[in-house]
Each structure stands twice: as C-alpha cells, then as structure tokens.
DNA sequence: ACGCAATATGGTAACGTTCCCACATGTGCC
DNA sequence: GGCACATGTGGGAACGTTACCATATTGCGT
C-alpha cells in the first residue's frame, strides 16, 4: 500500500528493453525520420510492456508548448459559465488540449494570482469570462504582452487586439420588449445591473422596441440593481413595485434576477402571469421555475465552442490577423410567465 | 500586433542583468544556501526589470512535481459537481496547486482518454466524482498503480486503498421519510435510480424510518428510474401515479428528479403540497422551484474542500496510512413542498 | 570500380530549472 | 601560523524529451 516511489518508465527504459537507442524510440514516437519495420515493432512492444506514458512535462519544456489553456471565470457554480466551460473543454480536448479552471470568485487578488500561475505554467492561451473593469484590461495586457493569445467570452467590453465572443444582448432586449408589447403591455419595468455592459445593451434593445411601437418608457420603469443575483432581483422588484409606476410586466437582466422577482411578486400576492408578466434572460434557470419563465436563450455552450476555436486558431498559428468579434444570435423562449395584461389595469 | 515570438526571460537572463551566476539567482529564488544581501537585491531588481516568471514546466521536470491535480466528473453543468469543483479549487489554489477540469459527459472512451492525458501531464493527484461501475475501478487502478494519490468524492463505492468523501445519504433518506411520517403521511413513494449506490442508501434510510414508525412500505411504492435527470423524474412520477398505490408524498433521489415530478404533478392537476408532498435531495435546485422544494441538504462545497485536503495530505506526504473515509452529515431543509396529507384520502 | 542517393541508426546538444560540489574568502581559536 | 567553520560564489550534472547531425549500410546507375 505504501508504494510511493514508482518511477515512470522513460524513453531510455524503452530503448533498453527494445535493444535500440533512445533516438530510435524518439523517432517511433514522434513519427519522423526513418525506422525499420523491425525496430518499430520492438519499440512498440517495449512501450506496451513497460506501460510507457510520454512525459508531457519534458515534452513541453522542449517544444515550448504545453497543450494547456486557462479559463478565468467568476464562478463555476453559475450555470451560465459552467456551460461555457463545457463547450471550451469539449473543443480543447478534441484537439488534445487540457483546461485549467480558475474560478476567481470575483476577487481581484485571486484573479491576478491566477494570472500569475497561468503564466508560470506557460499555458498556450487563455479564455476570459470576467466582467470588464479596468483590472481585467491590465490582466489581459499581461497576457498579450507576452504573446499569449487571449479570447474574451461573454465578459468585459472590447479589448484592443483580443478576439471576443458575445451574444446579441441588445436584440435580446428588443425581442423581450417586443413580445410584451405584442401581448398588449405598455408599462414594462426593467431590472438592470448597475455598470454592466450587458444590462445596458438589453436596455437599449428594450428602448428600441418601445420606440418602434410608439410606447412611452419613463425613467421610473428602470431599476438599477447591484448584481446578477437572486437577492438583487428581490430588492429590485420591491423598488419597482413601490415606485407606483404600476408596471404590468418585468424584464430581468438574467434568470436569477427574475427568480428573485418571482419570489417578491408571490409574497406581494401577485399572480404570474395573470397580474404581472415576467421575462428572464439567459435561460439558465427558466425551465425550472414555476411558472416556467419565458426568457431569452443565450447559446452559452456554443459560445464556449467558438471561443475555444478562435483561441486554437491563434495558438496553432492558423490565424494572425486583426481581432475578431463573433456575435451569437439569441432567441425568445416562450414559456408560461407572460400573458396579456389585466384589462382596465 | 503580430508579435508572436516573445521569449520568456530565464534565470540566465536574470543572472546576466544582475551580474551574478545562474546558480546565485537560483539560490535567491529557491531561498536556500547563502547569498549576500547585495546579490539578493541585485537579483530581485533584475527579476522585476525583466518581468521574470519562473518556468513551472522546467521546475516540474526537475522536481517531478507539477503542483497540478486532475478532477474527473460527469458534467460541470450539474451544480452538484460544480460546487465540489469550487471547493476543490479553493483549497488547491490556497496551496499553490492548479486544477485540470475533466468533464467526461459519462462517456467511457472520453473518461479513459482523460485518464491518459492526466497521466501524461504528470498531475500530482486525482479527484474522482464518477459513478461506480467497473470501468471506474480500472481507471482508479491505473492511477494508484503508478503511485498517484486518488480521492473519490461523491461517486462510486469503496475502492480499495482509496480515500473517499461521501455524505450520509442513508440518514438523508431517514430524515426525509421521518419528516413525512411526522406530518402524517403513510404512503410514501420513492423515485430511486437503478444501479445507484446513493439511491439504494436513501431507500435504506426510508425503510428504517418507516419501520421505526411501524408503517408499511410495499414494493409498489418504489419506482426504479434510469438516471438522475429531470426526464427520468417525469417518467418515474407518471409510473408512480399509475400504479394505483395512491401515495400522498414522494421522495426523489435528487432535486432534478423532484423537478420532473413537480412538472408531472402539475400536469395531472395535483397541487403541491396540498394534494401531494414532495421532497428532493441534494439542495441544488430546491430554492428555485415553485413551490420551493423541501429537500436534503448535501455539503457539496464542503466535500470538495475535504477531498482536496485529503489529496494534498497524500501528495505532500503528510499521510501515508490506510484509506480514510469521511462521511459528511446531511440536513433536512424545510421549504414549501410538504404539508400534511388530505384527510380521508 | 565509383559516386550518390535512400534508408537506418546512434550521439548529442539543447529546453530552464534545481541542487550538489568545489572553490574561494573571511573569522575566531588554539 | 594552522585549522575548523561559517559565508558566499560559480560550475555542472541531471530531469525526459526533441531534433539536428554524423555515421553506417544498403541499392543502383554509370
């Protein structure tokens, strides 16, 4: 049981068993140069016999490529990011790359610490899903300065020279508002996260839809909340209800916020959707609430796939051009949280 | 912009700038041996000036330790495992270790492929959260054979010589059943996943509670379902309703299953909890459903922390004894999905 | 017979680090 | 003065791999 000192067989061990030189073994493994069928067989047999596993560390040292990418994200427990991670990882492992997970918990010192570690590990590239404050720009710069490819996936705003995958949040906002307008709503409250680019895009979309329909959109109907959390959704909904602007529908900046709003509405004795319609955003929790949330579907998994693809393009040097920007379409997912407003309300 | 060929400064570069030998730089960085205050200052200054980042790859090659651990799990998008991952990663990074994420999607060939990759990367240890069929035993053996410490966290049954962190599922089952009995229920349906150790422990717990209370528990009340998914929960609930054993409450093997059941009950025109009480398991989605699910809380994050701790103990050779088993307590989380049964039903 | 490919092999220098060893110095003590 | 011992320094081998180079040994055309 206490069998710690197990040495991994090396290329030399294989060579010894096969009765050839390490160079020959290297050639068989690397598949370059000339090797006789005879030697090849003996090397392969020796590898099997010893259970040889090539040492990726030594390999990386020599080749200067680790076949490893880092993923920096706020929290894995948020399904939005977990889905991106899943997409990333699927493409990465299909190309023989591994993913190092860095769940920063939004703490700046942890984030830069992770940055340092990834740099020391000499990852071949980095995907960022972090909200875009100044510190992220500095972080990204610390990577690009060293020639490391970086792709931003659903975080931050544009970073100079960095590829980016986002969703068409503005159109999402438009679709949500349009849907409500079509149902007959005219006073639509929006729960927007303060300082979030995403939220302001959603707002822009809503505004456009309302303007197109000739519906008024007083400032009172927008509530700024602190974060993309259920708690923030609760307080936001409470504020909205108390303002007396009497909305008949609410658009939340993500499903978690909508979830908080649903709770508050329930407490207030309001039935969803009869008394109040609610639309979520991102389709993470929407299918699990009661009533099920009508929401805007974001292709997070897809975004992860594409982000990985862009990154690998850069890493394997298949693309060296200007920064690219991929904008993914969003869709309205109709469930049970929207109905026409009560007449006479 | 096309500035790919950026060479990382090495210890030699630092030595050159500081005007000392590479050995001296090594001593300053490694903090061993003797170095004059003078040299130390110059080396530190040179490091800062060049933006030196030690090369973890070269370090690993020499030291034979990568400060990296692998985490094999079914899916990151399942919050149950994402929470474990979060715990793992928190402890790991606090100790200077990185986590390589391996979301296997339950596919066997991917799993063994990941195993190979982790072995090649020479990770220092591995945490497994995979269901316990034979292939997992072989996988675990492929690690332990090479002297790699392995910890199982909420997956599989006992593996010889491998540490393990689990929760007291049996007691969870007991608590759930007991709670329902106290509310006056006598016919309690259970949705159990076929072939799952977890589910059979939950069943054992239920049986014990029912026996203690002198309540009958006919086989009809147990429905075997295919997986821990919402879909499986739906079909299971349907089967239970059609059997005519007229349960007044349902215990599901996890929250997702309960979610499926809630949907079916709603369709069937049954009100939860008035017509049927429901108890979930694992507290992942419970707070987000309407009605909110009463469930059994599992300390997943905590489990991740402990698993990492056990693994690091082994890796850093602070523990070399017999396999340990940590059983975490569970708790009943009371929300709104349980009520006394209708009288006369 | 000769040259000149093509084929097959081994030697060896890197990659960037760690750490042991040898060699300076200096200091205190008999 | 000689010796032990602490202090400071540089040299160099190793970690396991890759890939270039030099050296066989063939076959084949002239």
């Amino acid at each position: 049981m206490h069998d710690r000192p197990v040495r991994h067989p090396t290329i030399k061990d294989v060579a010894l068993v096969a009765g050839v030189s390490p160079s020959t073994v290297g050639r068989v493994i690397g598949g370059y140069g000339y090797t006789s069928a005879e030697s090849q067989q003996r090397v392969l047999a020796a590898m099997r016999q010893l259970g040889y596993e090539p040492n990726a560390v030594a390999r990386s040292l020599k080749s200067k490529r680790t076949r490893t990418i880092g993923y920096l994200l706020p929290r894995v427990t948020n399904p939005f990011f977990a889905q991106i991670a899943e997409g990333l990882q699927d493409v990465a492992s299909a190309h023989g790359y591994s993913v190092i997970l860095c769940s920063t918990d939004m703490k700046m010192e942890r984030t830069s610490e992770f940055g340092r570690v990834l740099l020391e590990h000499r990852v071949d590239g980095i995907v960022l899903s972090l909200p875009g404050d100044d510190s992220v720009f500095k972080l990204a710069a610390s990577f690009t300065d060293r020639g490391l490819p970086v792709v931003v996936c659903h975080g931050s705003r544009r970073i100079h020279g960095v590829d980016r995958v986002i969703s068409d949040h503005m159109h999402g906002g438009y679709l949500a508002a349009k849907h409500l307008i079509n149902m007959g709503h005219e006073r639509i409250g929006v729960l927007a996260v303060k300082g979030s680019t995403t939220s302001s895009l959603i707002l822009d979309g809503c505004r456009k839809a309302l303007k197109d329909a000739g519906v008024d959109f007083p400032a009172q109907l927008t509530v700024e909340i602190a974060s993309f959390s259920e708690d923030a959704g609760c307080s936001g909904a409470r504020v909205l209800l108390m303002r007396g602007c009497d909305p008949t529908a609410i658009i939340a900046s993500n499903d978690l916020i909508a979830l908080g709003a649903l709770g508050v509405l329930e407490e207030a004795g309001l039935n969803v959707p009869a008394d109040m319609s609610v639309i979520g955003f991102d389709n993470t929790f929407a299918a699990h609430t009661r009533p099920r949330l009508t929401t805007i579907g974001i292709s997070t998994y897809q975004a992860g796939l594409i982000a990985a693809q862009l990154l690998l393009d850069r890493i394997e040097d298949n693309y060296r051009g200007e920064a690219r920007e991929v904008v993914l379409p969003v869709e309205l997912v109709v469930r049970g949280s929207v109905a026409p407003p009560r007449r006479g309300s």
Side-chain angles (χ1 to χ4, degrees), chain A:
Chain A
M1 184 139 313
H2 308 192
D3 44 14
R4 185 52 51 85
V6 183
R7 216 181 49 97
H8 287 269
T10 76
I11 235 173
K12 285 187 188 174
D13 300 319
V14 175
L16 217 63
V17 171
V20 296
S21 75
S23 306
T24 304
V25 178
R27 248 173 259 126
V28 172
I29 293 171
Y32 61 94
Y34 294 104
T35 25
S36 64
E38 152 96 37
S39 302
Q40 222 158 86
Q41 287 316 310
R42 298 176 60 180
V43 167
L44 258 24
M47 279 171 55
R48 254 193 308 278
Q49 186 193 321
L50 294 174
Y52 171 78
E53 301 276 359
N55 185 330
V57 177
R59 224 171 233 200
S60 297
L61 180 60
K62 186 89 237 277
S63 66
K64 300 180 164 238
R65 308 181 64 250
T66 53
R67 295 196 154 262
T68 287
I69 66 177
Y71 180 41
L72 281 157
L73 74 169
R75 315 207 74 193
V76 231
T77 44
N78 184 332
F80 186 85
F81 298 110
Q83 282 160 18
I84 295 178
E86 190 111 353
L88 272 183
Q89 205 230 229
D90 283 354
V91 171
S93 64
H95 286 73
Y97 284 73
S98 298
V99 177
I100 294 185
L101 188 76
C102 304
S103 198
T104 64
D105 200 20
M106 314 280 210
K107 303 209 187 77
M108 194 40 219
E109 79 276 12
R110 278 188 72 172
T111 306
S112 50
E113 170 69 8
F114 274 127
R116 200 183 52 72
V117 171
L118 292 178
L119 244 21
E120 290 189 0
H121 274 15
R122 300 292 192 262
V123 293
D124 294 333
I126 288 173
V127 177
L128 288 179
S129 295
L130 297 175
D133 51 6
D134 285 352
S135 55
V136 175
F137 289 87
K138 280 215 300 243
L139 187 71
S142 76
F143 299 137
T144 51
D145 284 356
R146 289 170 171 84
L148 253 190
V150 173
V151 174
V152 169
C153 185
H154 274 123
S156 152
R157 67 208 72 173
R158 222 152 183 6
I159 301 181
H160 178 71
V162 168
D163 293 336
R164 184 185 184 215
V165 181
I166 51 169
S167 288
D168 194 346
H169 281 91
M170 181 158 139
H171 191 235
Y174 182 86
L175 288 176
K178 184 87 181 171
H179 181 61
L180 292 171
I181 293 165
N182 288 346
M183 288 294 224
H185 293 269
E186 302 211 319
R187 290 186 308 284
I188 300 170
V190 179
L191 303 181
V193 174
K194 197 167 178 166
S196 151
T197 334
T198 320
S199 266
S200 69
L201 287 171
I202 295 174
L203 261 175
D204 288 347
C206 292
R207 264 192 278 268
K208 182 165 186 301
L210 290 158
K211 198 175 167 195
D212 285 2
V215 176
D216 203 33
F217 187 49
Q220 274 211 313
L221 282 168
T222 306
V223 177
E224 287 207 322
I225 60 180
S227 68
F228 285 98
S229 66
E230 189 170 358
D231 280 351
C234 288
S235 11
R238 266 192 268 269
V239 170
L240 191 61
L241 290 181
M242 293 208 292
R243 277 196 186 157
C245 44
D246 200 19
T248 61
I250 299 177
I251 295 176
S253 292
N254 78 353
D255 281 0
L256 263 179
I257 293 172
L259 216 53
L262 283 182
V264 168
L265 295 172
E266 189 180 29
E267 273 173 31
L270 292 169
N271 180 279
V272 175
D275 303 317
M276 178 80 77
S277 291
V278 175
I279 293 191
F281 217 103
D282 79 12
N283 199 18
T284 50
F285 288 102
H288 304 139
T289 63
R290 288 300 119 88
R292 295 179 217 266
L293 270 175
T294 290
T295 193
I296 302 297
I298 305 279
S299 312
T300 44
Y301 175 76
Q302 188 75 9
L305 293 182
I306 295 174
Q309 199 55 66
L310 294 180
L311 190 68
L312 289 175
D313 277 357
R314 296 269 189 190
I315 291 175
E316 318 230 292
D317 218 16
N318 297 323
Y319 181 82
R320 302 167 264 283
E322 294 299 304
R324 292 162 291 181
E325 173 146 310
V326 176
V327 181
L328 295 174
V330 298
E331 55 167 347
L332 176 73
V333 179
V334 177
R335 294 205 178 85
S337 62
V338 173
R342 276 246 151 86
R343 267 176 311 157
S345 79

